[in-house]
Amino acid sequence: MTEQVVTGGGRRGASSAVERVVATVREGVKTGRYVPGQRLVEADLMRELGVGRNALREALSRLRSDGFVQIEAHRGASIRRLTREDVAQLYELREVLEGLAARLAAQRIGETDHRQRLVAALESMHEVARTAELPAYMDENIRFHRTIVELSAHPRLEELVDQLQIQTFRIQFRSAAANHDRTGMREYSVTEHQSLAEAILDGDGTRAEDLMRRHLRHTRSGIMQLPDGDFA
């Protein structure tokens, strides 16, 4: 019992440190603090986050497994740059998983506060599309998608989609920024989200899944038009 308390506390502390590093890097990728190709200097991260070398390296190993970083001999860790093939495959996965999420969300739209949450997310997206700059709209875009996944009431699905969304968010942002007709882009995006929300609110799982998949295929198509310099 004594050993469990001592070693268990130590393991919990190490686990907490690992999780802190993982969360920090994931959030940094999402917000653009860490950009593709940027080196992650171990000494800087250890000092900033107050973690030891073992915890840091365990966290970096996990981030590599999740596709966020790459680790090279004599160079260390850096934020992974995505190839065109990487992006295509990530969006194929998002299409399947978020299509399923939309179907499940429609099937469960009558539960507790699900309907109110989706309506609120849609209204917020409309408001931000009218009033905010592109970065704020992109944030709202991903929140809308996450709301649908949350309404699927499938925690494992939510975890997988979150990982994929973070990896594709920055390159999706560059695609949107490269579109000179930003107003038209937003209007088209909002229209797609409106139709998707209506299908879910109607409880039509088949239509919701089809609209989500078509929406993500359209997004992927826009990203594929980016110049080669935006990919590894």
Side-chain angles (χ1 to χ4, degrees):
M1 185 69 173
T2 302
E3 182 180 359
Q4 181 180 1
V5 171
V6 175
T7 61
R11 290 180 64 82
R12 284 196 296 273
S15 176
S16 175
V18 171
E19 294 297 338
R20 188 158 69 251
V21 175
V22 170
T24 298
V25 174
R26 283 166 58 96
E27 184 64 18
V29 170
K30 176 189 169 186
T31 61
R33 178 186 179 189
Y34 298 126
V35 298
Q38 180 177 339
R39 287 190 61 219
L40 298 174
V41 181
E42 289 191 1
D44 292 345
L45 286 172
M46 290 166 59
R47 182 171 54 253
E48 176 187 348
L49 300 176
V51 300
R53 190 175 301 276
N54 289 341
L56 176 63
R57 290 187 173 176
E58 182 179 341
L60 292 176
S61 178
R62 185 188 303 181
L63 287 162
R64 178 178 60 182
S65 297
D66 290 344
F68 288 96
V69 306
Q70 60 184 21
I71 301 176
E72 300 174 279
H74 311 300
R75 289 183 56 84
S78 61
I79 301 300
R80 181 183 172 199
R81 295 189 69 215
L82 300 176
T83 66
R84 286 186 185 274
E85 184 178 3
D86 289 333
V87 173
Q89 291 179 355
L90 288 168
Y91 267 91
E92 285 173 353
L93 291 171
R94 282 192 63 180
E95 183 183 330
V96 172
L97 294 177
E98 292 189 54
L100 171 61
R103 175 184 288 275
L104 293 175
Q107 293 172 354
R108 295 169 176 168
I109 194 62
E111 297 179 8
T112 58
D113 62 346
H114 286 202
R115 184 175 297 275
Q116 295 92 320
R117 288 171 61 190
L118 183 57
V119 169
L122 183 62
E123 290 176 347
S124 180
M125 169 160 283
H126 279 293
E127 178 64 22
V128 170
R130 286 195 301 270
T131 62
E133 296 298 318
L134 182 61
Y137 175 73
M138 294 302 297
D139 285 340
E140 197 63 36
N141 185 322
I142 202 166
R143 276 194 289 270
F144 177 83
H145 278 258
R146 284 179 175 168
T147 297
I148 292 174
V149 178
E150 290 169 3
L151 297 184
S152 73
H154 194 307
R156 182 58 176 158
L157 179 60
E158 184 176 348
E159 178 184 338
L160 292 170
V161 170
D162 181 64
Q163 179 178 324
L164 294 171
Q165 287 179 340
I166 292 174
Q167 290 188 69
T168 57
F169 179 77
R170 297 313 300 176
I171 199 160
Q172 184 175 334
F173 177 85
R174 289 201 296 277
S175 174
N179 188 328
H180 296 293
D181 181 18
R182 292 185 181 182
T183 301
M185 179 275 294
R186 287 197 204 187
E187 289 176 353
Y188 193 86
S189 174
V190 170
T191 297
E192 287 189 330
H193 288 107
Q194 176 76 39
S195 298
L196 173 58
E198 288 173 356
I200 294 173
L201 292 168
D202 288 343
D204 189 336
T206 299
R207 182 160 59 97
E209 180 172 10
D210 179 63
L211 288 171
M212 175 66 86
R213 296 186 68 145
R214 278 196 281 169
H215 168 62
L216 289 170
R217 283 197 295 271
H218 173 253
T219 303
R220 181 181 65 182
S221 176
I223 291 173
M224 288 298 122
Q225 296 175 35
L226 288 170
D228 290 341
D230 285 327
F231 300 92

